[in-house]
Amino acid sequence: MEILKLENLEKHFEVHSRSRVRRNLIRAVDGVSLAIPEGEIHSIVGESGSGKTTLGRMVAGLLEPTSGSVVLGGVDMFRSGRGEIRNLRKSIQIIFQDPYASLNPRFTVRQILEEPLRLNRLPVQEGDLLDTLRQVGLTPPEDFTGRYPHELSGGQRQRVAIARAMIVRPRFIVADEPVSMLDASMRGSFLQLILSLRKRDGITMMMITHDISIAHYVSDRISIFYRGKVVEQGRADDVVLNPAHPYTRALIESVPSFSRGDSEGSRHPEVPSDVPDPATGCMFRNRCPKAMVACEAVPGATEIAPAHFVSCHLYGGTGVK
Amino acid sequence: MRGTGLFIEFLHNRKGAAGLAIVAAFTFMALFAPFISPYNPTSTNPQAFLLPPSPSHPFGTDNLGQDLLSRDLYGAQISLIVGLAAAGVAVAIGLVTGLVSGYFGGLVDEVIMRIVDFFIVIPALVIMIVVAALLGPGLLNVIAVIGFLSWAPVARIIRSMVLSLRERPFVESARANNGGSLYIMFRHIFPNVSSVLYGNAMLAVSSAIFTQAALVFLGVGNVTSISWGGIIREAYTTGALTAGDMAWVVPPGIFIFTLIFGFILIGYAVEEIMNPRLRGGGSG
């Protein structure tokens, strides 16, 4: 059963140009619908500026959508009673990208972990606190409770941030680039940690990342995000091993590998990144190596394989003007 | 534990130690003026007016025969009281308006910032003279006038810090966990602006001390109580300043300058000590 459901979620920002006459509308999130079943990890993969963080902030209830809805466990996050929303916020936690900014420098680890409990009127129990620290690999936990963030390494801080999200036993976690600020040597163990917490507590998670290899490693399903829209979505293996959308292919080809590029290296030229976005139609078409006339219309989603959706005219996406 | 560590660090800071020594010396002067003054500062002596410096009157006497050293020692009281109290008023108003303005933003911010602009642009001394004249003399009036007219720079500094702090992920995390605005302002934002606030409070004290002296010199406020500005004013009105009676004007001038300098040194030391910590704790 799906626990999180996004329905046609949109967030538009108005940008006032200097002349004040012309207003630009930035469609940061432009009609996203997806459902995440209980216990699954769903990754949102996209480049910077694609709107994936805006999406995560809406799911965590930090930003009100322009339209559409976020429904968690049957409760609409923005159209329910206050009490219900309070409860909902308790069961959604967020892990931020930058462990140097996500912990208050004036709080001790103990205060950081107690905060979500107190704010949500949950009992603060010493045993829980120490257990949670132990679970995220901060052992012995007694050594950490009295420390301030500046006395911890970046990896330890991120463990504290994960512990803060875990301590209220949430049903759903939004992890916004949880490993991108960590040393590469530490990423593997963090992803393992996330997987082990999922296994133990059955937590459902939405992970936001720009790195498709990380997404492939941890997630069950992947949504590829481009300019506020999901352009491809499917099981992690399907999307990574049989990428359909030209953008997905470009993302996968851009992953550096150990094999030196000569043999198969120049299969595809890299997609240019410094071209302006088109005003209409498929947003990727100015960069797309396979752009065609049909791309002047917005492509609809096509199911090219079971539960594998692509929004691209190459796959007969029905045009919507 | 953390507090004493910071205090020790403060004492090891050269500026901090020097500033603290200066302020401590003047505080001692103010508290013990009745015991260390050689004469009663208000007892006149028709036989001994306008004396030049001598062993019995190190700074000489004024036109009424009052001992100037004694008056200079007593003068520390008013300067410290007005300086600290007016700065307290200014910092309190500036802190609250800055927090509210930066945190809530929008129309509230717009309105508060336009008021701040007004207070920064108007020549404060002129307004103070007018308002103080309307309110009449009295220590509390002087404190209020200086305090209410010098909170604007504090508000602006605090607001700019709040603007960046309120977007920090640790604030968002509290908000996502049902943390209310008041909670976030006092638990998360205030502690992170406090270091800058303390530094600015010290600077506010020094400017209040100067303003008080200037007001008294200009004849605003209670000119009969003993203060450094008042002593210089008396030297000016009796013509001693033009006559070049240095022992009358130079000591209070040096005292004003030194005490202000002491608070400025403390302010700089506070910021120096707190800032690397803030940088270490903020975004990298």
Side-chain angles (χ1 to χ4, degrees):
Chain A
M1 194 204 107
E2 75 243 1
I3 176 165
L4 180 92
K5 225 169 132 186
L6 308 181
E7 273 163 11
N8 205 21
L9 199 62
E10 293 191 341
K11 182 69 193 181
H12 298 168
F13 295 108
E14 232 173 58
V15 180
H16 295 271
S17 59
R18 214 171 288 166
S19 65
R20 283 216 168 213
V21 181
R22 223 187 55 200
R23 281 184 189 163
N24 287 326
L25 205 60
I26 305 275
R27 295 166 192 274
V29 174
D30 195 14
V32 171
S33 301
L34 60 89
I36 305 182
E38 187 138 24
E40 270 202 3
I41 297 182
H42 192 119
S43 282
I44 307 288
V45 180
E47 60 195 2
S48 51
S50 61
K52 56 193 198 297
T53 292
T54 305
L55 178 71
R57 284 165 52 83
M58 285 192 285
V59 172
L62 288 168
L63 198 64
E64 197 146 344
T66 306
S67 65
S69 59
V70 176
V71 180
L72 188 86
V75 183
D76 189 315
M77 170 147 252
F78 298 97
R79 283 178 209 81
S80 300
R82 278 188 94 144
E84 277 183 303
I85 290 177
R86 281 191 73 91
N87 262 327
L88 194 63
R89 285 170 169 253
K90 181 173 66 187
S91 37
I92 299 185
Q93 293 291 315
I94 181 163
I95 298 170
F96 294 95
Q97 174 176 16
D98 182 357
Y100 288 86
S102 67
L103 309 177
N104 188 333
R106 306 261 158 181
F107 277 24
T108 60
V109 169
R110 172 186 301 279
Q111 288 172 309
I112 290 167
L113 293 188
E114 285 179 355
E115 176 175 65
L117 294 173
R118 290 188 196 284
L119 287 176
N120 290 307
R121 306 204 176 102
L122 294 166
V124 176
Q125 276 159 349
E126 186 67 15
D128 274 359
L129 213 126
L130 298 179
D131 277 348
T132 311
L133 283 174
R134 220 173 275 130
Q135 281 156 20
V136 298
L138 293 172
T139 49
E142 293 83 2
D143 285 3
F144 289 93
T145 49
R147 294 213 208 162
Y148 285 93
H150 68 86
E151 298 169 312
L152 302 173
S153 70
Q156 287 170 332
R157 289 177 190 222
Q158 194 62 311
R159 286 177 197 273
V160 173
I162 294 174
R164 172 177 62 189
M166 299 298 300
I167 197 161
V168 296
R169 304 263 166 262
R171 297 175 68 188
F172 190 79
I173 286 185
V174 178
D176 187 357
E177 303 265 16
V179 297
S180 70
M181 300 278 285
L182 301 175
D183 285 346
S185 57
M186 255 189 294
R187 285 186 192 156
S189 64
F190 264 85
L191 298 175
Q192 284 299 334
L193 172 65
I194 288 171
L195 286 174
S196 74
L197 295 175
R198 190 263 297 256
K199 199 181 242 174
R200 210 179 46 93
D201 291 358
I203 293 176
T204 316
M205 186 181 287
M206 178 162 136
M207 189 164 93
I208 295 163
T209 177
H210 62 272
D211 187 335
I212 197 167
S213 56
I214 286 176
H216 183 222
Y217 184 77
V218 292
S219 41
D220 302 294
R221 297 177 69 81
I222 292 178
S223 287
I224 306 289
F225 218 53
Y226 187 79
R227 294 290 185 270
K229 282 189 161 82
V230 174
V231 295
E232 182 163 359
Q233 186 184 98
R235 293 198 314 112
D237 278 344
D238 290 346
V239 171
V240 174
L241 304 177
N242 296 309
H245 198 281
Y247 178 63
T248 315
R249 290 189 193 165
L251 275 181
I252 289 166
E253 274 150 24
S254 70
V255 174
S257 70
F258 289 107
S259 56
R260 297 287 167 88
D262 304 333
S263 53
E264 269 189 292
S266 51
R267 289 171 304 187
H268 289 278
E270 224 172 276
V271 288
S273 58
D274 51 353
V275 289
D277 285 335
T280 55
C282 173
M283 294 299 278
F284 189 60
R285 68 189 154 109
N286 287 359
R287 292 168 71 182
C288 186
K290 296 186 175 166
M292 49 196 184
V293 182
C295 300
E296 283 168 27
V298 177
T302 318
E303 189 166 13
I304 54 165
H308 186 174
F309 297 90
V310 183
S311 296
C312 177
H313 290 293
L314 288 174
Y315 303 91
T318 43
V320 191
K321 263 284 181 197
Chain B
M1 210 178 77
R2 196 168 126 86
T4 53
L6 281 179
F7 186 68
I8 290 166
E9 207 175 319
F10 180 80
L11 288 182
H12 282 286
N13 181 302
R14 251 193 241 166
K15 288 176 193 161
L20 197 68
I22 291 171
V23 171
F26 280 101
T27 309
F28 176 84
M29 193 192 277
L31 289 175
F32 295 99
F35 308 106
I36 56 176
S37 298
Y39 299 89
N40 181 334
T42 53
S43 73
T44 55
N45 184 349
Q47 266 84 54
F49 65 94
L50 290 176
L51 289 181
S54 68
S56 57
H57 295 283
F59 293 162
T61 57
D62 63 10
N63 59 326
L64 300 173
Q66 302 175 115
D67 178 51
L68 281 168
L69 173 63
S70 303
R71 292 180 74 77
D72 288 336
L73 293 177
Y74 269 90
Q77 294 177 339
I78 296 260
S79 283
L80 279 173
I81 292 171
V82 174
L84 292 172
V89 172
V91 167
I93 301 175
L95 172 67
V96 173
T97 48
L99 277 178
V100 169
S101 189
Y103 186 80
F104 291 108
L107 191 64
V108 178
D109 181 39
E110 197 68 30
V111 169
I112 293 179
M113 280 304 115
R114 293 298 76 80
I115 296 172
V116 164
D117 287 345
F118 171 77
F119 277 107
I120 283 177
V121 166
I122 55 161
L125 207 56
V126 176
I127 301 289
M128 284 182 199
I129 291 169
V130 174
V131 177
L134 290 174
L135 288 176
L139 199 58
L140 283 180
N141 288 345
V142 173
I143 291 170
V145 166
I146 298 176
F148 280 102
L149 283 164
S150 45
W151 57 272
V154 179
R156 194 180 262 185
I157 291 164
I158 297 299
R159 170 187 176 264
S160 70
M161 292 191 74
V162 175
L163 282 181
S164 98
L165 282 167
R166 70 167 184 190
E167 307 290 339
R168 295 280 175 87
F170 63 79
V171 170
E172 303 227 289
S173 166
R175 200 175 290 147
N177 275 301
N178 294 310
S181 297
L182 274 181
Y183 170 85
I184 287 170
M185 262 197 268
F186 286 100
R187 266 319 257 136
H188 284 288
I189 293 182
F190 173 67
N192 284 292
V193 299
S194 58
S195 59
V196 169
L197 189 73
Y198 299 144
N200 275 281
M202 292 300 118
L203 301 182
V205 172
S206 54
S207 99
I209 290 170
F210 177 80
T211 309
Q212 187 269 339
L215 284 178
V216 179
F217 177 77
L218 294 170
V220 181
N222 191 352
V223 291
T224 54
S225 65
I226 307 165
S227 69
W228 294 331
I231 295 168
I232 298 176
R233 170 184 172 77
E234 286 147 17
Y236 176 73
T237 51
T238 56
L241 195 58
T242 12
D245 188 345
M246 289 303 155
W248 194 338
V249 264
V250 172
I254 289 178
F255 283 178
I256 294 171
F257 171 80
T258 313
L259 183 54
I260 287 176
F261 192 56
F263 277 109
I264 290 177
L265 285 178
I266 294 180
Y268 282 158
V270 169
E271 284 199 16
E272 262 175 32
I273 292 167
M274 302 297 236
N275 264 341
R277 204 162 293 258
L278 272 187
R279 257 183 265 128
S283 59

